[in-house]
């Protein structure tokens, strides 16, 4: 005999999910349709570009963004050529589209929330445990509400990626603004700056390096969700990994996995180089 009755948490969560799905369908459907069209259009536009022209643009950008160093440019050339050679170019563009979309949405959400946290101790105390929860929850769990709200496809993949990837941008934005020296803040106030001017002309520029580090982490986390998001229909390199797993095709899994690593290294080095330039 149980001394304490089981709390019906599962039933509560199921009921809440059903209620949200039923009552906010008017919101989820337009998001699914419009965001789906955006991702599909972005992927189509990237695939429309001749692969060699695309590779040349990225290689040249890598050369100049690293201060005319050859290392990243050479790696980018070899890496993208390898992916193209393995007939995974379309999958690469699908994956790149998902990462770009999830990263942009994460930054749009994360930076304002980080600023809000930096401006209010109460908001920081409320949001910090939520961020802890988001970062410690297993990534697979995010697929459940994504499918419940948006069905199968790229959009729920983006939704799950955003939830998983947004915390670093929020945390680093908050940290960067709070680390701005009080002397600078007092000097700006002495010149009669408004709160808006102080934020955009003093705090954000001084915190830019820290914020960019957070954005770098967000982009990498969004990319890490590629394989997991493929389990709910997101197209791209992750889908090839899932396919190789179901077929026990070691070769395909290895090639797709290496392609994801190549993309991750290129994106990471690009964002790090941007951060270095901004911090100089």
């Amino acid at each position: 005999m149980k001394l304490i009755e089981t709390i019906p948490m599962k039933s509560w969560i199921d009921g809440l999910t059903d209620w949200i799905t039923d009552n906010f369908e008017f919101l989820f459907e337009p998001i699914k349709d419009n965001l789906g069209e955006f991702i599909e259009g972005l992927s189509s536009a990237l695939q429309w570009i001749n692969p060699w022209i695309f590779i040349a643009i990225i290689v040249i950008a890598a050369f100049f963004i690293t201060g005319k160093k050859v290392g990243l440019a050479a790696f980018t050339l070899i890496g993208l050529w390898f992916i193209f050679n393995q007939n995974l170019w379309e999958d690469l563009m699908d994956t790149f589209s998902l990462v770009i979309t999830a990263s942009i949405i994460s930054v749009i959400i994360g930076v304002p929330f980080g600023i809000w946290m930096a401006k209010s101790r109460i908001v920081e105390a409320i949001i910090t445990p939520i961020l802890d929860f988001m970062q410690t929850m297993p990534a697979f769990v995010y697929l459940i509400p994504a499918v419940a709200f948006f069905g199968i496809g790229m959009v729920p993949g983006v939704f799950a990626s955003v939830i998983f990837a947004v915390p670093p941008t929020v945390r680093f934005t908050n940290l960067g603004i709070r680390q701005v020296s009080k002397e600078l803040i007092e000097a700006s106030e002495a010149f009669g700056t408004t709160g808006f001017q102080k934020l955009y002309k003093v705090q954000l520029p001084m915190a830019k390096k820290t914020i960019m580090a957070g954005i770098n982490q967000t982009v990498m986390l969004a990319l890490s969700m590629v394989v997991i998001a493929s389990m709910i229909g997101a197209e791209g390199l992750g889908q090839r990994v899932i396919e190789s797993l179901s077929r026990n095709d070691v070769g395909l899994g290895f090639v797709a996995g290496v392609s994801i690593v190549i993309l991750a290294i290129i994106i990471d080095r690009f964002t790090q180089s941007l951060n270095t330039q901004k911090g100089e």
Side-chain angles (χ1 to χ4, degrees):
M1 181 179 177
K2 292 183 179 179
L3 297 176
I4 302 176
E5 289 296 327
T6 303
I7 299 173
M9 182 63 71
K10 177 181 177 301
S11 302
W12 292 348
I13 298 298
D14 288 340
L16 177 62
T17 303
D18 292 339
W19 182 83
I20 292 175
T21 305
D22 294 337
N23 290 276
F24 291 91
E25 186 178 1
F26 72 94
L27 182 63
F28 295 140
E29 285 301 320
I31 292 176
K32 179 181 178 181
D33 295 338
N34 294 324
L35 189 58
E37 289 179 5
F38 173 80
I39 298 170
E40 186 178 343
L42 179 59
S43 179
S44 299
L46 291 174
Q47 292 179 27
W48 177 80
I49 302 173
N50 183 282
W52 290 111
I53 295 177
F54 186 91
I55 292 173
I57 293 171
I58 301 300
V59 168
I60 293 170
F63 178 71
F64 284 103
I65 212 172
T66 54
K68 297 184 179 180
K69 295 179 181 177
V70 205
L72 180 59
F75 177 84
T76 302
L77 175 62
I78 296 170
L80 293 180
W81 170 83
F82 172 80
I83 297 173
F84 176 69
N85 177 261
Q86 296 300 308
N87 299 316
L88 292 174
W89 190 258
E90 290 187 5
D91 294 315
L92 174 68
M93 294 299 103
D94 287 333
T95 298
F96 194 42
S97 302
L98 188 149
V99 172
I100 289 175
T101 306
S103 300
I104 291 174
I105 295 173
S106 297
V107 171
I108 291 173
I109 295 172
V111 172
F113 270 95
I115 294 172
W116 195 18
M117 286 177 66
K119 296 297 181 180
S120 171
R121 289 286 183 185
I122 297 175
V123 173
E124 184 182 34
I126 294 171
I127 294 182
T128 299
I130 297 174
L131 296 177
D132 294 338
F133 178 83
M134 292 169 67
Q135 289 186 293
T136 52
M137 179 68 73
F140 284 94
V141 178
Y142 293 131
L143 303 182
I144 301 170
V147 172
F149 298 151
F150 298 105
I152 302 295
M154 291 288 277
V155 174
V158 170
F159 177 81
S161 299
V162 168
I163 298 176
F164 186 68
V166 75
T169 297
V170 179
R171 289 187 187 276
F172 278 74
T173 301
N174 174 40
L175 178 65
I177 292 175
R178 288 189 181 278
Q179 285 182 336
V180 176
S181 67
K182 293 182 179 179
E183 290 77 9
L184 282 173
I185 302 296
E186 291 171 357
S188 66
E189 290 173 347
F191 282 97
T193 57
T194 63
F196 181 85
Q197 290 173 329
K198 182 170 63 177
L199 175 65
Y200 282 92
K201 294 185 178 181
V202 179
Q203 292 174 309
L204 286 180
M206 294 301 298
K208 191 176 290 183
K209 188 172 182 179
T210 305
I211 294 172
M212 284 296 296
I215 292 174
N216 171 266
Q217 293 300 308
T218 287
V219 175
M220 298 310 294
L221 286 174
L223 181 57
S224 72
M225 281 291 288
V226 165
V227 178
I228 298 175
S230 296
M231 298 180 68
I232 55 174
E235 299 176 357
L237 294 169
Q239 200 172 55
R240 301 285 80 80
V241 175
I242 300 297
E243 181 182 333
S244 68
L245 184 63
S246 62
R247 296 181 179 178
N248 195 24
D249 189 340
V250 181
L252 176 61
F254 178 80
V255 171
V258 169
S259 299
I260 293 173
V261 171
I262 290 170
L263 178 60
I265 292 174
I266 292 172
I267 292 176
D268 181 59
R269 296 301 182 269
F270 261 75
T271 51
Q272 281 188 10
S273 298
L274 283 171
N275 193 13
T276 302
Q277 288 184 353
K278 295 295 183 181
E280 289 176 351

